[in-house]
Amino acid sequence: MGEMTERKPLIVGNWKMNANHLEAIQMVQKLSYRLEPEDYDRVEVVVAPPFTALRSAQVVIEQDHMRIGLGAQDAHWKESGAFTGEVSAPMLAKLAVQHVIVGHSERRQHFGETDEMVNAKARAVLDAGMSPIICVGETAQQKDAGEADDVVIQQVKAALARIEGRALASSAIAYEPVWAIGTGRNAMPDDAGEMAERIRAQVTDMTDSSVAEGIRILYGGSVSAGNIKDFMAKRHIDGALVGGASLEPDKFAAIVRYRI
Ligand code: PGA
């Protein structure tokens, strides 16, 4: 039955700390010029600019009736309160944000995000009516020590704790080996495909197969126009989280327009 499930590919551009709001408008416009209606029929296309550019991106997308979806790169787990510098999930939902990246390895590494925080953020994003893109992935050291599977499965378990199966159906999980991010050294597609399969099996254990078969599992880490099709050819990989290459509309459009 699982074999029959159609998952629409999801390709997300994670702009990280790049682009002011004026640059963001141009990037969204350029991307839109390069995509055709059938591209959006095949693939769900999302860009995740920095917080300061979300409102501008939202306005240009709405005014020009673009089919580009809007994502954010993080959200706090509380709805409001004394958390200087933070942005809440309801604030993002109000900007027509649909997807929120949570637990990116850069946040785990540089900002001390724990699995518990990632879980709280994922739940806050769902409570606000958006879909979390939950990032997991092992470091080079963990990979060399043969711990990659255990680390990733533990991260998935922790991130999904106490989330109801039905809510989870709209979520995505991005497998992003830390050593592959921004290095030009992508994972072997076979390895990434196998990890995606293990992640789906874990989601099945925690929910049921209909939820697990519907959830989208993305690969991230040095995705390019040259390698995207090798990842998308894997049965359990349903999209990509793209960093560097998403900053150039030509390159990002070429990734969206992959053909197997
Ligand atoms: P990269 O980043 O494509 O530049 O490797 C991916 C990510 O961090 O999501």
Side-chain angles (χ1 to χ4, degrees):
M1 174 203 146
E3 302 285 334
M4 306 302 290
T5 312
E6 278 286 337
R7 295 181 292 264
K8 186 173 187 180
L10 171 63
I11 298 189
V12 182
N14 172 14
W15 293 4
K16 310 192 180 183
M17 195 171 71
N18 295 288
N20 63 40
H21 72 290
L22 300 174
E23 292 163 336
I25 291 169
Q26 286 193 339
M27 285 162 68
V28 168
Q29 281 170 335
K30 283 186 186 159
L31 177 62
S32 165
Y33 292 142
R34 284 160 181 73
L35 296 177
E36 304 289 341
E38 54 268 27
D39 296 324
Y40 300 103
D41 294 341
R42 284 178 54 240
V43 172
E44 185 176 350
V45 184
V46 173
V47 295
F51 291 136
T52 48
L54 283 174
R55 173 64 178 159
S56 302
Q58 179 209 5
V59 169
V60 72
I61 287 169
E62 282 180 6
Q63 275 176 354
D64 294 352
H65 308 289
M66 293 175 186
R67 291 167 70 189
I68 297 171
L70 199 54
Q73 298 174 19
D74 191 20
H76 195 265
W77 55 85
K78 286 277 171 69
E79 285 187 17
S80 63
F83 298 99
T84 302
E86 293 291 317
V87 170
S88 76
M91 292 172 186
L92 298 171
K94 205 73 177 164
L95 288 168
V97 166
Q98 296 142 349
H99 299 269
V100 182
I101 299 167
V102 297
H104 191 281
S105 65
E106 287 153 15
R107 299 229 41 100
R108 295 179 191 255
Q109 271 187 314
H110 306 309
F111 302 97
E113 257 178 45
T114 63
D115 283 334
E116 291 69 32
M117 292 181 198
V118 175
N119 174 246
K121 288 179 174 200
R123 287 189 288 144
V125 167
L126 288 164
D127 287 346
M130 301 177 292
S131 306
I133 298 169
I134 297 162
C135 302
V136 298
E138 81 284 359
T139 63
Q141 262 177 331
Q142 290 164 332
K143 180 181 163 65
D144 292 345
E147 296 166 2
D149 289 2
D150 288 348
V151 166
V152 168
I153 293 308
Q154 181 49 42
Q155 287 174 336
V156 170
K157 272 190 196 167
L160 302 189
R162 299 185 301 281
I163 298 179
E164 199 208 338
R166 244 178 320 129
L168 259 189
S170 74
S171 308
I173 298 175
Y175 170 56
E176 299 204 300
V178 177
W179 47 270
I181 295 177
T183 58
R185 207 160 61 89
N186 57 277
M188 300 303 292
D190 281 345
D191 294 344
E194 283 168 22
M195 189 65 90
E197 184 169 4
R198 283 191 281 273
I199 291 171
R200 200 177 305 282
Q202 179 58 38
V203 177
T204 307
D205 271 3
M206 296 177 75
T207 56
D208 59 61
S209 62
S210 71
V211 169
E213 285 296 321
I215 205 167
R216 288 178 293 190
I217 300 178
L218 317 181
Y219 167 76
S222 299
V223 170
S224 68
N227 62 31
I228 180 72
K229 63 178 186 319
D230 300 330
F231 291 105
M232 295 309 294
K234 300 296 169 194
R235 185 166 117 61
H236 290 281
I237 296 181
D238 312 307
L241 185 52
V242 185
S246 74
L247 296 174
E248 291 174 59
D250 278 328
K251 288 189 181 170
F252 191 57
I255 290 171
V256 169
R257 305 187 78 177
Y258 76 90
R259 285 286 188 282
I260 292 175

